[in-house]
Every structure is written in structure tokens, then in C-alpha cells.
């Protein structure tokens, strides 16, 4: 097993579970297959597993490190956004919704995606490399985001919480919607989903 799966906290973990989405933060490994750093650049993206018949050998020397996610909701909680090459349609929808949901930055459609990546980088991790969270009332949060309870990650969907694991989600449970919770999904990502971006997640195994 390789250390190449990402959890909602943004940690790169080792697990037997397979991911449904591919991710990129730059070259994180060296000449071997060991993770040496959590990221190389600010463009953390979500890619398709297959694109234009391209074939990659996982963690090849001197190439970017392939990361994998359970679903798009997990990837966005970690701070990744859709790729503009292999997911251009989703990326355009994401950018439009991000601009609508985060007008305080004064960005527009001509703003380079790198400017949004800079905002996301400030929302992902602090100077010590620790995950940044914020507090919100549960009923104010959209479906498809993650919260933290007792150091575990839960997906918010259908007015229920679903405990995350690398293999899928446990059965949903209800808690009072009026309580204040710790949000894992970066704030501007939450605003993007509120503004209409439909984030992918799969609860069929619950």
C-alpha cells in the first residue's frame, strides 16, 4: 500500500481502500514512493481517474504525485477544486459559483484561477501546517460539506450526518440542526456549494 489517499482533514493516509477521483498538489515524493511534503504548490486540484487514454505509473520519479479521494466532497473538504484540463465543465461551474458565493474578494470571470487558489491556500492550513476550521450553525450549512465531531469527519447531507471512512460512509444519524459545529470544508468552498455548485458524494453503501 502507498500513502496516497486523502481524508477530509487534508491528511495523506495509507489505506487499502481505492479512490474514485484523482488529485494533484505537485510532486510530493522523491525518487522513491515515500511522501516527503504535504504539498508543492497552491493549485490543489481534483481530476478524473481516466483522461485521453493517458497512463501513469504511480509515484514515478520526478513527476507529480497521484493522490486519491473517496468522492468530490472529501476532496473539497481537504481544499481541492476541479481541474481545468480534464474537468473543464465542472471547473467553470465551480469558478462561477465561487465568484457568486464570495463577492467580498472583488474577483470576476477574468480573474485567474490562481487568485482563487491563493484564497483557498489561506483557508486550508495555517503556518504550522495545521488544518484550518471555522464554526457555524449546522442548519446554515449546505449538503456536501464536512464537519468535525470528536476528531472524526462527518458528511452533512439530507439533514443527517454520515461518518466518513476511506471505504465509504456509515449510516446517517441526526443531531439538532441548531447546534454550532466545527466545519472542515474551507469557508469559500462552503459558500461555493451554497451558491449552486453540486458537489459529488455517494451514500449508496450506507
Amino acid at each position: 500500500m502507498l500513502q496516497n489517499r486523502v481524508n477530509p482533514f487534508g491528511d495523506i493516509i495509507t489505506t487499502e481502500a481505492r479512490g474514485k477521483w484523482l488529485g494533484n498538489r505537485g510532486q510530493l515524493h522523491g525518487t522513491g514512493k515515500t511522501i516527503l511534503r504535504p504539498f508543492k504548490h497552491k493549485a490543489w486540484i481534483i481530476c478524473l481517474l481516466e483522461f485521453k487514454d493517458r497512463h501513469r505509473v504511480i509515484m514515478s520519479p520526478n513527476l507529480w504525485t497521484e493522490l486519491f479521494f473517496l468522492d468530490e466532497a472529501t476532496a473539497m473538504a481537504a481544499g481541492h477544486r476541479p481541474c481545468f484540463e480534464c474537468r473543464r465543465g465542472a471547473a467553470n461551474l465551480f469558478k462561477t459559483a465561487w465568484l457568486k458565493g464570495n463577492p467580498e474578494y472583488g474577483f470576476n470571470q477574468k480573474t485567474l484561477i490562481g487568485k482563487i487558489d491563493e484564497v483557498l491556500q489561506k483557508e486550508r492550513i495555517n503556518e504550522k501546517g495545521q488544518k484550518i476550521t471555522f464554526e457555524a450553525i449546522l442548519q446554515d450549512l449546505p449538503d456536501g460539506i464536512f464537519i468535525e465531531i470528536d476528531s472524526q469527519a462527518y458528511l452533512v447531507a439530507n439533514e443527517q450526518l454520515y461518518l466518513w471512512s476511506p471505504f465509504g460512509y456509515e449510516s446517517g444519524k441526526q443531531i439538532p440542526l441548531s447546534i454550532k459545529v466545527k466545519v472542515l470544508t474551507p469557508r469559500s468552498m462552503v459558500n461555493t456549494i451554497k451558491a449552486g455548485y453540486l458537489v459529488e458524494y455517494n451514500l449508496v453503501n450506507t
Side-chain angles (χ1 to χ4, degrees):
M1 292 185 294
L2 297 176
Q3 182 187 0
N4 59 10
R5 279 292 299 274
V6 180
N7 66 20
F9 294 90
D11 301 323
I12 304 173
I13 63 174
T14 302
T15 174
E16 293 180 351
R18 299 177 64 86
K20 298 177 182 177
W21 294 91
L22 178 66
N24 181 359
R25 299 180 188 177
Q27 185 185 350
L28 313 184
H29 65 288
T31 56
K33 296 182 182 291
T34 300
I35 296 294
L36 303 177
R37 59 180 71 88
F39 66 92
K40 181 71 178 292
H41 51 59
K42 297 177 182 178
W44 294 21
I45 59 177
I46 312 166
C47 301
L48 299 174
L49 288 179
E50 297 182 6
F51 181 64
K52 292 185 176 180
D53 295 323
R54 295 179 184 176
H55 298 281
R56 296 177 60 88
V57 177
I58 301 299
M59 291 189 179
S60 295
N62 303 314
L63 296 177
W64 60 267
T65 303
E66 299 85 356
L67 303 175
F68 298 91
F69 312 99
L70 170 67
D71 53 19
E72 188 179 35
T74 301
M76 291 181 70
H80 289 246
R81 51 89 177 161
C83 172
F84 267 88
E85 182 180 10
C86 66
R87 300 186 63 206
R88 181 168 295 275
N92 285 328
L93 291 172
F94 172 85
K95 183 177 181 181
T96 297
W98 195 98
L99 295 172
K100 180 180 178 181
N102 300 279
E104 65 272 22
Y105 292 98
F107 296 167
N108 56 44
Q109 287 291 349
K110 293 183 179 180
T111 300
L112 297 177
I113 192 64
K115 291 294 185 180
I116 294 177
D117 288 333
E118 290 177 2
V119 173
L120 289 173
Q121 184 66 14
K122 293 177 181 178
E123 297 179 330
R124 295 172 183 136
I125 53 177
N126 61 24
E127 294 178 353
K128 297 181 180 180
Q130 300 167 328
K131 174 72 172 175
I132 294 175
T133 63
F134 67 95
E135 292 188 336
I137 303 300
L138 183 57
Q139 64 187 3
D140 295 334
L141 297 171
D143 286 358
I145 66 93
F146 275 88
I147 66 171
E148 177 187 352
I149 300 176
D150 296 331
S151 300
Q152 292 186 302
Y154 289 83
L155 176 75
V156 176
N158 309 319
E159 297 187 349
Q160 295 192 73
L161 302 182
Y162 297 85
L163 179 62
W164 182 93
S165 84
F167 296 90
Y169 299 96
E170 293 188 5
S171 298
K173 68 176 184 178
Q174 291 184 321
I175 62 173
L177 297 178
S178 60
I179 69 168
K180 184 175 289 188
V181 294
K182 183 183 293 186
V183 184
L184 293 175
T185 306
R187 189 185 296 272
S188 69
M189 291 283 205
V190 173
N191 295 338
T192 300
I193 297 170
K194 281 185 177 181
Y197 184 80
L198 297 178
V199 57
E200 179 271 338
Y201 55 87
N202 190 342
L203 300 176
V204 296
N205 60 319
T206 58

